[in-house]
Amino acid sequence: MGPLRSVVLAGGGTGGHIYPLLAFADALRRHFPQIRITTLGSPKGMENQLIPAAGYDLRSIPAFQLPRSLNLDLLRTPDRMYRSAHAAGEIIDEVEAEVVVGFGGYVSVPAYLAAWRRELPIVIHEVNVPPGVANRMGMKFTKRVAVGFPHQLEQAEALRNARLVGVPLRTGITHMDRPALRPQALYHFGLRPDLPVLFVSGGSSGARTINLAVAAAAKRLAHAGIQVLHVQGGRNDPFEVPNDLPVPYVVVPYLSDMQLGYAAADLMLCRGGAITVAETTALGMPAIYVPYPFSNQEQRRNALPVVEAGGGLLVDNSELTPDWIERNIIPLARDRQRLAQMGTAAAGYGRRDGDEQLLRFVLEAVS
Ligand SMILES: CC(=O)N[C@H]1[C@@H](OP(=O)(O)OP(=O)(O)OC[C@H]2O[C@@H](n3ccc(=O)[nH]c3=O)[C@H](O)[C@@H]2O)O[C@H](CO)[C@@H](O)[C@@H]1O
């Protein structure tokens, strides 16, 4: 077949749906420099900041609410869904899309519906177990489903026959030489080169429990000689950190250059969002995972295989206290040998070619 000329990518809500979409868009552009890439998003999601900043065309389609569980009546009845699908269809027609690739988030549903009506190939990329509601609806319209992780094939009936491609990750992360970037990253954040750095990030929206627990442990960490680089997260309230600490504790609201954070870090404390896990493992970053407790165990499932492989630790949200941090994180952050072993184990689980593998799958769909 000839080069791909026009593709619609749908996905939105939080970073977990948007960053893989952007990484995939970059892969499309690398292979097909003339390609037209159109992204579909919702009026209020984080895509409105992230996608234009990355230089891609974002079209907003009217919002509607998806129920938390799958309900096919939704596709038959409400006007709002049809309005959204109609808007998605007009965009698909206008750009003469050859394929629709969806990454989840409720905005994907009208895109799937409109593509199905036009008999266009649809490819779904799913990173969670259980799969998100939007993608489960999409699976009514296509069998071309790609997943990010091996455990998804075993743990979700709906994903049993999916293709394992990995997660498209930004090349700034997958091609990063961490040791080479480290001095620049430390300088950028005002961190010292002689002391370990704990990198704290609760995912794209931030995590209140993690933020408060680490901030409350600030003095103990500092007196143990551990520096902290703490990303508050896009949707979280500020928190207080004492300002007379003997070593740096740097708080940033959000990192658009996440690779700088990874480059500065010796150890990460994070949630278990799928893209975060894909990134820490691709980088061989030792991590302590604190899964978000209110989402069907999906984050625990993401982190467990890495932890079982020796690439990190798992702690319940309710157990993450300043005392736990003192007992577990302080000795670990100072133990270079153990960190190196954990990093090697994490890297053994990680993959860096999710963008290329998904592209191959999409090309099969359009051929
Ligand atoms: C609470 C919840 O339901 N979270 C879900 C959400 O997480 P969330 O949206 O937090 O997504 P992930 O943790 O999977 O990924 C976060 C992404 O944001 C990036 N980042 C984060 C902070 C920052 O300052 N800068 C930055 O670039 C990370 O590098 C990563 O690429 O989507 C994931 C993927 O569907 C799911 O697995 C998670 O369960």
Side-chain angles (χ1 to χ4, degrees), residues 14-17 19 127-128 170 201 203-205 231 254-255 258 262 272-276 279 292 295 298-299 302:
T14 66
H17 292 135
Y19 285 115
V127 291
N128 294 303
R170 290 167 278 178
S201 165
S204 62
S205 313
V231 186
Y254 190 81
L255 279 181
M258 194 66 178
Y262 287 129
I275 316 310
T276 298
E279 290 171 354
Y292 180 65
S295 58
E298 69 179 28
Q299 296 201 351
N302 296 336

Side-chain angles (χ1 to χ4, degrees), residues 1-356:
M1 59 157 281
L4 268 183
R5 291 180 310 276
S6 179
V7 171
V8 163
L9 307 179
T14 66
H17 292 135
I18 302 158
Y19 285 115
L21 180 157
L22 286 175
F24 183 62
D26 289 346
L28 285 168
R29 179 129 296 154
R30 272 198 312 278
H31 284 266
F32 306 110
Q34 305 300 329
I35 195 170
R36 180 167 191 175
I37 298 172
T38 310
T39 70
L40 297 185
S42 52
K44 289 199 182 138
M46 289 176 80
E47 57 270 30
N48 293 284
Q49 288 83 51
L50 300 180
I51 291 184
Y56 289 103
D57 178 19
L58 172 69
R59 307 288 187 92
S60 235
I61 54 179
F64 62 93
Q65 200 64 45
L66 270 186
R68 290 297 293 171
S69 63
L70 187 57
N71 173 3
L72 273 184
D73 286 343
L74 193 85
L75 297 182
R76 292 188 203 105
T77 43
D79 293 352
R80 299 184 86 187
M81 163 65 84
Y82 277 98
R83 238 186 26 227
S84 299
H86 182 75
E90 285 194 329
I91 295 165
I92 288 172
D93 291 340
E94 179 204 321
V95 304
E96 298 178 22
E98 294 154 285
V99 57
V100 167
V101 186
F103 293 84
Y106 65 81
V107 72
S108 312
V109 176
Y112 297 142
L113 192 56
W116 172 73
R117 287 234 190 103
R118 285 159 178 75
E119 298 185 10
L120 271 186
I122 301 168
V123 175
I124 293 177
H125 187 263
E126 173 58 53
V127 291
N128 294 303
V129 173
V133 176
N135 277 351
R136 270 186 287 154
M137 286 191 181
M139 287 173 210
K140 304 283 170 201
F141 306 120
T142 181
K143 296 210 176 320
R144 295 182 195 280
V145 181
V147 294
F149 304 95
H151 74 269
Q152 294 179 266
L153 301 173
E154 293 147 25
Q155 296 177 9
E157 186 58 40
L159 301 177
R160 190 140 294 175
N161 298 315
R163 173 85 62 93
L164 176 62
V165 299
V167 178
L169 299 176
R170 290 167 278 178
T171 50
I173 291 175
T174 52
H175 288 50
M176 183 171 110
D177 179 346
R178 262 175 71 208
L181 192 57
R182 185 175 163 89
Q184 181 195 331
L186 293 172
Y187 179 77
H188 176 85
F189 294 115
L191 294 163
R192 286 168 48 174
D194 56 330
L195 294 173
V197 175
L198 174 69
F199 179 32
V200 182
S201 165
S204 62
S205 313
R208 194 164 177 271
T209 310
I210 297 180
N211 287 352
L212 297 181
V214 183
K219 275 199 174 137
R220 299 189 222 182
L221 288 161
H223 287 288
I226 295 164
Q227 308 180 89
V228 179
L229 171 59
H230 193 151
V231 186
Q232 183 182 310
R235 293 181 183 162
N236 257 266
D237 298 332
F239 46 86
E240 294 284 317
V241 176
N243 53 16
D244 55 349
L245 297 173
V247 303
Y249 189 123
V250 178
V251 180
V252 290
Y254 190 81
L255 279 181
S256 11
D257 278 340
M258 194 66 178
Q259 62 267 36
L260 279 182
Y262 287 129
D266 294 285
L267 171 65
M268 180 143 187
L269 176 64
C270 52
R271 284 257 183 254
I275 316 310
T276 298
V277 172
E279 290 171 354
T280 52
T281 54
L283 288 169
M285 167 73 68
I288 296 164
Y289 298 100
V290 192
Y292 180 65
F294 308 111
S295 58
N296 291 318
Q297 301 286 310
E298 69 179 28
Q299 296 201 351
R300 174 172 286 274
R301 291 176 200 263
N302 296 336
L304 202 56
V306 190
V307 171
E308 284 175 350
L313 303 179
L314 195 61
V315 56
D316 272 353
N317 195 60
S318 58
E319 283 171 25
L320 186 76
T321 58
D323 285 344
W324 192 94
I325 290 172
E326 180 173 22
R327 278 197 312 274
N328 296 278
I329 295 188
I330 290 178
L332 178 58
R334 299 205 291 199
D335 187 340
R336 288 194 178 280
Q337 202 180 346
R338 193 161 160 230
L339 288 178
Q341 283 163 355
M342 276 184 153
T344 306
Y349 180 78
R351 313 170 66 111
R352 291 172 178 234
D353 64 346
D355 53 351
E356 295 291 328

